[in-house]
Structure formats: structure tokens, C-alpha cells
Amino acid sequence: MTYGIALGSGGARGAAHIALIDELKEREAKIEVVTGSSVGALVGAFYALNPDVDLFQIFKDLTVKKKKALDSQFRTLNNRITNFPKMVAGKSFLKNDFVYDIYKQLYGRKRFSDCKIQLGIVSYDLESGEEVEITEGYIIDSVMASSSVPGVFPPLRLGGMNLLDGGILTPIPVNLAKQLGADYVIASDLNGELKNDFKFNDGLDYLISMDDYKNDLMVNYEVNKAEEVYTFPIEYSWEDFSNFIEIYQDAKNFLKHKRNKVRE
């Protein structure tokens, strides 16, 4: 049996992916395939390169170190968003340089061939309107492409294509994990159970949350192919990187509760 894990999109909520990976390590599940979309690509790529490191510590330190820069960028973004037409017109409010510096610390010039676990990343081709599955080349380029949120970051030119966030078409790349040889796929869904009393803090929050609900149909299509699904009830927005530790701990508690229920 070949085990794979498919990590979905969801911004700062990706801390829950790390909690799930830690859980699978405790279960001594041997993961041989990792696929990711957007933040799932960010976490999944680092895990595939370094399956034995403490992911929580790495990403916690990075989040703390970059907290001021993250807060500043998202403040700038929120100040620039005045109405919905600006978003659909395709204007990008932040530059890729902001995240490139962060990704460079994580991946350097590592390639897919350097991974200890087979890795697949999904992105979206703006011109063809089709999903793009990436399994070779420089990891930093693929993660950049997969996490380029439309309207927030400009498309990344790669392989003759203008690539955007993989979550546009494939929020949770279960099918890609199957294609890469996984017989048993564990899906990590960050957007499936948003709380009913979720509060919108600003215009960006509202637009992204609408997109979350739109993703429901696509998520269901993918997770129905998975053998095991974890749908995390996360109350934080995709941009709440300052709450990384809280998101991780909530996810750990959620997994512990599910584990206890199984034992009952």
C-alpha cells in the first residue's frame, strides 16, 4: 500500500497541515507521495524535502521572524482594496518579491529531484484556464506559482505560461496524488467547515471568504476520491499568520478529539 497526503489551499490555516503531518508521524504512517495546492504546496514541498525535521518549529520561527513584514503587506493590501471590480479586473496589489524572499529561505535552489518524498504541485494557467501539474524543476518556482493568489499577487511566468494559485481549480490535489502512485490518499481540507459566526474584518476577508464557499463544490469533487479526509473547523482568516500557533494547536486538539472518538 502506497500512502499519499494531499494538502489543500487556505493561507495561514496551513498550520493545520503541519498538525496533521505531526499526527501521521506519531502514527508511523509511511508517506510516499505528497501533493499540495497554494499553502499546501508551501508546506508539502518543505516536508517532501525534509520529512524528519520539526515542521512546526521551522514555520513558527519563520512566521515570528516575518511577522512585521506580513502584517505590513496585508495592511497595505486591505488599504488598497476599495471595491470588487478592481479585483476582477485582474490588478495585483502586492509584488512577488515579498514572498520570494521567504520561499528562498525554505527551498533555496532545491529541485523536485532533491525530495525524499515524491512531490506534486498544482497551479492554474491563466491563458488556457486549465490546471497545471508540476512534478519537476525548481521547487521555489512551483510553490510561487501555486500560491499566487489572483488579484493579490501577479501571475508567475513559468514554462511559457502565466500561472496563478492552484486553489482556483484544485483546492485539494487528491487526483494528482493518485496519479503519482498513491493507493491510499489522506486529504487535508482547510476550508470545508468555516464556522457560521465567522466575522469579516475587512474587504479582503469578505472576498476571500466568498471564494472559500465557491470552492466547496471543487473540494467535494476531490475529497470524494480520498480514502481518509480531515476537514478542519478553523475560525481564523487565511491572512491570520499572527495566529499560526493558535491554528496549529486548535488543529492538534481537533485531531486528538477525532482519535478519541474512534477509540470509544
Side-chain angles (χ1 to χ4, degrees), residues 43-76:
V43 173
F46 195 80
Y47 172 54
L49 280 168
N50 310 280
D52 298 323
V53 302
D54 186 340
L55 290 177
F56 172 72
Q57 193 65 47
I58 293 292
F59 280 92
K60 186 192 76 169
D61 290 347
L62 184 63
T63 303
V64 170
K65 182 179 179 182
K66 296 293 182 179
K67 183 181 185 303
K68 288 185 179 179
L70 287 165
D71 289 345
S72 174
Q73 290 292 328
F74 285 117
R75 240 188 343 263
T76 299

Side-chain angles (χ1 to χ4, degrees), residues 81-235:
I81 294 176
T82 57
N83 56 52
F84 186 72
K86 284 189 176 181
M87 292 292 286
V88 298
K91 182 178 179 180
S92 301
F93 293 104
L94 299 180
K95 295 181 179 181
N96 281 332
D97 295 350
F98 161 56
V99 291
Y100 183 83
D101 290 340
I102 296 175
Y103 293 173
K104 188 175 180 181
Q105 293 181 44
L106 291 172
Y107 314 114
R109 300 304 291 168
K110 296 290 187 179
R111 304 176 69 95
F112 279 75
S113 56
D114 294 312
C115 291
K116 296 179 176 63
I117 301 174
Q118 189 171 9
L119 174 66
I121 289 174
V122 294
S123 188
Y124 170 81
D125 180 14
L126 184 59
E127 295 169 356
S128 70
E130 296 179 350
E131 173 190 323
V132 177
E133 298 170 345
I134 310 172
T135 57
E136 60 183 8
Y138 289 106
I139 290 175
I140 189 171
D141 294 336
S142 302
V143 175
M144 283 280 293
S146 186
S147 57
S148 292
V149 179
V152 178
F153 297 106
L156 184 73
R157 188 72 178 173
L158 185 64
M161 298 175 287
N162 288 316
L163 300 181
L164 283 170
D165 195 295
I168 295 173
L169 276 186
T170 315
I172 307 173
V174 174
N175 190 55
L176 179 56
K178 296 277 188 180
Q179 290 180 32
L180 294 178
D183 304 305
Y184 190 100
V185 178
I186 301 164
S188 182
D189 177 12
L190 306 179
N191 299 304
E193 288 187 4
L194 293 175
K195 293 190 174 180
N196 293 329
D197 61 350
F198 186 80
K199 301 295 190 298
F200 303 121
N201 300 314
D202 46 55
L204 175 62
D205 225 4
Y206 178 70
L207 292 176
I208 295 298
S209 296
M210 284 197 304
D211 191 60
D212 286 340
Y213 287 111
K214 181 266 295 179
N215 282 348
D216 280 352
L217 287 176
M218 292 183 290
V219 167
N220 289 335
Y221 175 74
E222 286 287 329
V223 298
N224 284 338
K225 304 174 188 176
E227 282 68 36
E228 192 173 337
V229 180
Y230 292 90
T231 302
F232 293 94
I234 302 172
E235 64 179 292

